[in-house]
Amino acid sequence: MASQKFAEQLNVQIGNEFAAHHQYVACAIYYDALTMPRMAAFFYRQALEERDHAMMMVQYLIDADVDVAIPGVEAPSNTFDDIVAPVRLALDQEKRVATQINELTALARDEHDYASDQFMQWFIKEQVEEIATMSDLLTVVTRAQHDVEAIEEYVDRELGDVGDDATAPSVAGADA
Ligand SMILES: [Fe+2]
Ligand SMILES: [Fe+2]
């Protein structure tokens, strides 16, 4: 049984993950409009990952027999100054989420809720990877901002779909 305090905070985090989903959809659409299909595909894929994060948290709460209330989300940024801006925003977002994930983990430990602590460990690893990916992408996009094809080439070569992660928590509805 998950601690009540942890369950409430995890329910808040579901909203943060859906907000990240919306933001990445907005980034994808921006690159799609600029005819940067690789960057667009990368952000559409990132958006789906964020949606899955939210639904992993939904599944965890369902399994813990806790009531889930899907939170509303604020509108994402839809306009950007240049092609670097969405990636900078994405990196900031991933760093913010990493802090939220760490705080959730600390809360689980404070509450002696070690099952929830263990559930959070996958997300800690995920945030390390996402920050590294976005940080590298920001370097490339900043360096090549006047060479769109070089950016597209990099994304195509380095940031393809990595497929399923067998260690990932279950996504609610995935087997439905
Ligand atoms: Fe996420
Ligand atoms: Fe993320």
Side-chain angles (χ1 to χ4, degrees), residues 24 34-35 43 48 50 73 76 82 94 99 104 113 121-124 127 132 138-139 148 151 156-157 171 173:
Y24 285 156
L34 290 176
T35 318
F43 277 102
L48 282 178
E50 300 303 344
V73 296
D82 54 40
E94 292 301 340
T99 303
L104 270 161
D113 178 357
Q121 298 304 308
W122 182 84
F123 293 93
I124 292 173
Q127 285 314 119
L138 181 59
T139 302
V148 164
I151 297 170
D156 189 35
R157 194 179 65 239
V171 173

Side-chain angles (χ1 to χ4, degrees), residues 8 10 30 32 52-53 66 73-74 77 148 153 159 164 169 172-173:
E8 281 168 17
L10 188 64
Y30 171 80
D32 225 337
D52 281 355
H53 295 165
V66 177
V73 296
E74 283 192 28
S77 300
V148 164
E153 211 313 274
L159 301 178
D164 286 346

Side-chain angles (χ1 to χ4, degrees), residues 10-74:
L10 188 64
N11 204 133
V12 171
Q13 188 62 26
I14 290 169
N16 295 335
E17 300 293 338
F18 276 127
H21 165 270
H22 282 37
Q23 186 58 70
Y24 285 156
V25 169
C27 294
I29 290 167
Y30 171 80
Y31 289 116
D32 225 337
L34 290 176
T35 318
M36 294 178 71
R38 303 292 173 192
M39 281 290 273
F42 170 73
F43 277 102
Y44 283 127
R45 212 157 49 232
Q46 289 303 119
L48 282 178
E49 283 193 13
E50 300 303 344
R51 183 259 181 209
D52 281 355
H53 295 165
M55 297 304 276
M56 288 168 188
M57 293 169 184
V58 168
Q59 185 63 58
Y60 185 78
L61 292 178
I62 291 171
D63 288 344
D65 214 9
V66 177
D67 289 338
V68 188
I70 297 302
V73 296
E74 283 192 28

